[in-house]
Amino acid sequence: MSTDVSYLELSDSRRIAYRRREGHGPELLFLPGFASNMEGTKALWLWQAAADRDLACTLFDYSGHGRSSGAFEDGAIGDWAADALAVLDTVTRGPQIVVGSSMGGWIGLLLARTRRERLAGLIGIAAAPDFTEDLIRPRLTDDLRATLERDGRLLHPSRYDENPSVFTKHLLDEARNQLVMRAPIAFGGPVHLIHGQRDPDVPWQTALAIAARVTSDDVTVELVKDGEHRLSRPQDLARLGGALDRVLAGASAT
């Protein structure tokens, strides 16, 4: 991507890297997944999709990710949600269609809770709200719990990177303050959730659970029978394009 990177300087010395394309609204705001960044396949696809539709678009890296400042292991869901909120409030303008991938889907639902009036629509790609509490904690054996208490961190082989994923005690504990799936999610705009039924990381039933929690009547769940977690294949991106156009139409109608 040739567009220059800009930086949002926050009061607590965090420096959030972002790229912005000007255009019409509603704008697009991409929320990456856990340990991902704005250089990923879906982020770059969305940037091009915005250009094709002459829409404004903002990509960014959470603190401790990509080009932003900070150490990844120091971060937690609340920190990354605060980064997203700062970008939403400072960098973007007007109504936003928020596109959240995996953990980004959780962050998107947190934005819907705190800035509902700024969101024109939501798209979730293998959205993983509350994954720390509902997916990681139940899988911890007594030995892993002891390691987490002793070392403050766990290493887990990653399917997507040669380096293992790191889950810290701080991440798991702080996330309990950010849970969104324990009560209705008050959002009335169009929502489109895409989830692969061969996702080894986040069960596809999560999309149905989100649909049940969101108060909007305009919710579409799209299940991809042979889809896995990343949903980055050409056919998956084509589905994302269809979801984007549907949410754009719904947002315009609203």
Side-chain angles (χ1 to χ4, degrees):
M1 185 188 294
S2 60
T3 306
D4 290 338
V5 176
S6 299
Y7 291 91
L8 177 61
E9 306 284 350
L10 301 180
S11 58
D12 56 0
S13 299
R14 282 182 298 161
R15 195 168 187 248
I16 304 302
Y18 71 92
R19 289 186 170 104
R20 178 167 172 81
R21 179 192 187 279
E22 297 297 339
H24 297 298
E27 300 186 357
L28 307 183
L29 174 62
F30 184 72
L31 305 177
F34 183 77
S36 188
N37 57 55
M38 61 180 168
E39 303 290 348
T41 301
K42 292 184 288 292
L44 299 181
W45 179 91
L46 192 70
W47 184 267
Q48 184 58 51
D52 293 343
R53 294 161 175 79
D54 195 24
L55 298 172
C57 181
T58 302
L59 312 178
F60 75 99
D61 291 335
Y62 306 116
S63 52
H65 292 67
R67 297 171 183 250
S68 291
S69 67
F72 174 77
E73 291 189 35
D74 291 340
I77 303 299
D79 300 312
W80 301 326
D83 295 340
L85 185 61
V87 171
L88 176 68
D89 286 347
T90 307
V91 177
T92 73
R93 292 187 291 276
Q96 303 291 310
I97 292 177
V98 171
V99 182
S101 176
S102 192
M103 182 190 77
W106 185 354
I107 303 295
L109 293 173
L110 287 168
L111 290 184
R113 189 163 73 184
T114 56
R115 291 292 187 275
R116 184 168 64 248
E117 72 284 356
R118 290 289 313 280
L119 271 58
L122 287 169
I123 297 175
I125 310 164
D130 301 3
F131 74 89
T132 51
E133 194 71 13
D134 296 338
L135 300 179
I136 295 179
R137 282 193 187 274
R139 298 173 184 172
L140 296 180
T141 63
D142 290 342
D143 286 345
L144 289 175
R145 288 191 185 91
T147 299
L148 189 64
E149 289 295 328
R150 183 187 68 239
D151 300 338
R153 65 203 292 264
L154 291 173
L155 300 180
H156 188 274
S158 171
R159 296 182 176 89
Y160 314 109
D161 193 288
E162 62 184 17
N163 298 315
S165 297
V166 181
F167 300 108
T168 65
K169 185 177 186 300
H170 172 56
L171 171 72
L172 269 64
D173 289 347
E174 192 279 338
R176 285 181 160 166
N177 299 320
Q178 312 300 335
L179 302 178
V180 294
M181 296 294 286
R182 274 63 184 166
I185 300 167
F187 180 72
V191 179
H192 196 119
L193 305 167
I194 308 173
H195 214 117
Q197 290 189 281
R198 295 180 184 171
D199 187 333
D201 299 311
V202 182
W204 58 264
Q205 290 88 348
T206 302
L208 302 181
I210 297 170
R213 289 291 185 193
V214 173
T215 57
S216 174
D217 289 330
D218 187 3
V219 180
T220 297
V221 176
E222 184 173 359
L223 299 177
V224 184
K225 188 171 183 178
D226 66 343
E228 297 190 357
H229 186 63
R230 281 193 164 181
L231 293 175
S232 294
R233 303 168 301 176
Q235 61 267 40
D236 299 323
L237 298 176
R239 291 177 185 275
L240 179 54
L244 176 58
D245 289 336
R246 178 198 160 272
V247 172
L248 280 167
S252 299
T254 303

